[in-house]
């Protein structure tokens, strides 16, 4: 059997499925080219997206030519891919399945193929990779099943009506492969189950087949609790489901993305690991979840964050691991990367940076929680009071800014984040939610606003600048239209300057100079749409939003960046910040824009 050896050349080809612990990426040909097990941040056993030769994959693909139509089952993260061939049509359903009581204690990937009409010949293979060249796979037979091992990870391949599996090792590492042909109403199943450093459960195919349908119903039950009525409803729903995939259910942490090392720059270098929990992303997520009425995820995420901050204090860190520890140094792996664009890394260098804006993110989370009618515990109240005092002391320091830059400067958006922190600290103190000196915090809040007015605004260009003594501009200031720092003329003028200097239609580069280094940043474009609504430019906001929601891939997934030249996706995916920006802009526009403007779209 000929082995397909290349990952998809277009990141827009990938859809994501998951189970609350890990995420798999499925391309349009039916190949799974990314799946870390057992956890989202594990070194991946299947990573052909980063290493075409040794990364590993799970394929189910028709023989010969075919056309593809695909969609998520409505209101779920279960993917259906329909293959249309000259001889017939068949449908592939992919799910990371759940059990009767919820998430399984092991990873279980189920792939069901149903014959719709005619006949379609399929080949399949399960080929584990080398875990980014850190482990050598091997195969063994146990109780009639093929067991594949990679380091401490054990995998089993079982199925039903999936042909006669064969274990092959021709020098490229062991793989299990087979073939079958669909007919009208036929049903075929391939299952891969995995554990790490623990015994391996071998499931019965009939139970797994039922689990696919149970998983569909589980996602639909979650979606029924999701409350959003307004414009771009399908897009908002899909973005909420994408975010749900990034919630690491064992702790409640929220990963910034499902992948590592997918490049932002075609020349390489800007390859990061985003499988960590950023305070910033969690703040935006909590804000959205509260507005959607999703209480359980909100409480889990906020409780995890506050406990994690206390456990790793007294400093407030930019990011944490999904288990609530401090991130370690970056490890570079001997793997070529997507399209050969390296490096391939685990870990993230931002963990040791000072980013003052994170104070604003922390207080925004807590104020959102309290405003929704919840109560902070005593330890959290004391910690927040201490953090407000620290903000008063530290806001004058230079930092790395939101973009995690090596140049330490007085970034305007960082000062705006400190203003937001003290604004919310005062509100929480006056509501009796936290102890402390609200008068001091209010005084420093006003000093920060005065500093920004003097140093963060440029009369020369008529906009907020990235940092003082510069005419560089930065889209992160747009977040502070939503925060309430400025919804007036200065912010409106800043939007125009950002559009002129960083814009590509409705798309935006992150900050000055990035058009020479990377592609447009999805979140920045949606921040602009929301900011337009905040400053009263409602028709422009709606026009921008209409354009941007059409730029997701065919199943509604956004990566980190979009090429202005060909619309291709770049960077890690699914990207939490991108989907959060979609949701934030939609909610802001819904709440601020007149009905007649929305109806006139």
């Amino acid at each position: 059997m000929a082995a397909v050896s290349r990952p998809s050349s277009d990141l827009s080809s990938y859809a994501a499925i998951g189970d609350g612990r890990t995420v798999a990426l499925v391309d349009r040909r039916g190949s799974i080219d990314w799946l870390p097990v057992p956890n989202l941040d594990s070194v991946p056993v299947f990573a052909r997206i980063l290493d075409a030769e040794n990364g590993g994959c799970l394929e189910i693909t028709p023989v010969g030519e075919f056309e593809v139509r695909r969609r998520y089952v409505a209101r779920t993260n279960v993917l259906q891919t329909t293959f249309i061939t000259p001889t017939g049509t068949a449908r592939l359903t992919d799910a990371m399945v759940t059990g009767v009581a919820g998430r399984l204690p092991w990873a279980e990937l189920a792939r069901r193929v149903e014959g719709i009409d005619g006949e379609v010949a399929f080949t399949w293979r399960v080929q584990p990779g080398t875990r980014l060249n850190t482990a050598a796979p091997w195969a063994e037979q146990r109780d009639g099943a093929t067991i594949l091992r990679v380091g401490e990870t054990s995998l089993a391949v079982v199925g039903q009506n999936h042909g006669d599996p064969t274990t092959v090792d021709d020098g490229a590492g062991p793989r299990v492969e087979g073939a079958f042909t669909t007919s009208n109403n036929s049903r075929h199943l391939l299952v891969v189950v995995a554990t790490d450093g623990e015994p391996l459960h071998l499931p019965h195919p009939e139970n797994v087949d039922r689990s696919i349908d149970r998983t569909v119903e589980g996602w639909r039950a979650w979606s029924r609790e999701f409350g959003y009525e307004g414009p771009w409803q399908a897009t908002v729903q899909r973005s909420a489901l994408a975010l749900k995939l990034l919630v690491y259910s064992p702790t409640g942490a929220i990963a910034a993305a499902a992948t590592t090392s997918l490049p932002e720059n075609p020349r390489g270098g800007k390859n990061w690991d985003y499988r960590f929990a950023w305070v910033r992303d969690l703040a935006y997520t909590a804000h959205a979840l509260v507005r959607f009425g999703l209480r359980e995820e909100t409480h889990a995420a906020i409780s995890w964050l506050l406990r994690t901050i206390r456990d790793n204090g007294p400093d407030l860190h930019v990011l944490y691991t999904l288990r609530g520890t401090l991130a370690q140094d970056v490890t570079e792996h001997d793997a070529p990367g997507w399209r050969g664009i390296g490096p391939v890394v685990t870990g993230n260098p931002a963990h040791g940076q000072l980013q003052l804006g994170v104070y604003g993110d922390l207080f925004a989370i807590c104020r959102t929680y309290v405003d929704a009618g919840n109560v902070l515990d005593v330890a959290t109240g004391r910690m927040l009071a201490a953090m407000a005092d620290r903000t008063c002391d530290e806001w004058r320091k230079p930092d790395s800014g939101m973009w995690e830059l090596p140049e330490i400067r007085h970034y305007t958006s960082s000062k705006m984040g400190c203003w937001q922190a003290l604004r919310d600290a005062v509100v929480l103190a006056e509501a009796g939610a936290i102890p402390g000196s609200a008068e001091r915090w209010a005084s420093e809040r006003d000093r920060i606003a005065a500093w920004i007015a003097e140093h963060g605004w440029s009369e020369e260009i008529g906009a907020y600048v990235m940092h003082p003594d510069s005419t560089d501009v930065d889209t992160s200031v747009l977040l502070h239209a939503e925060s309430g720092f400025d919804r007036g003329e200065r912010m409106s003028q800043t939007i125009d300057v950002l559009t002129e200097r960083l814009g590509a239609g409705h798309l935006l580069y992150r900050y000055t100079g990035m058009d020479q280094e990377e592609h447009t940043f999805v979140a920045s474009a949606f921040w602009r749409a929301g900011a337009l609504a905040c400053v009263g430019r409602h028709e422009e906001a709606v026009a921008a939003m209409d354009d941007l929601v059409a730029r997701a891939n065919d199943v509604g997934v956004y990566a980190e960046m979009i090429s202005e030249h060909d619309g291709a996706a770049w960077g890690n995916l699914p990207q939490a910040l991108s989907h959060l920006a979609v949701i934030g802009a939609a909610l802001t526009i819904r709440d601020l824009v007149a009905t007649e403007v929305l109806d006139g779209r």
Side-chain angles (χ1 to χ4, degrees), residues 175-226:
R175 65 180 184 269
V176 185
E177 58 185 31
F180 60 87
T181 299
T182 65
S183 58
N184 289 358
N185 300 316
S186 65
R187 199 174 182 100
H188 315 262
L189 188 69
L190 181 68
V191 183
V192 176
V193 59
T195 57
D196 192 78
E198 58 187 40
L200 183 65
H201 167 74
L202 296 181
H204 294 289
E206 298 87 352
N207 292 339
V208 179
D209 197 18
R210 289 193 295 271
S211 293
I212 296 174
D213 299 324
R214 182 170 58 243
T215 302
V216 167
E217 181 49 41
W219 281 114
R220 286 178 169 168
W222 182 83
S223 291
R224 283 193 290 271
E225 298 299 316
F226 171 89

Side-chain angles (χ1 to χ4, degrees), residues 341-357:
I341 303 171
V344 172
V345 301
T346 51
N348 192 292
H351 70 89
Q353 290 184 342
L354 175 65
Q355 293 183 27
L356 294 172

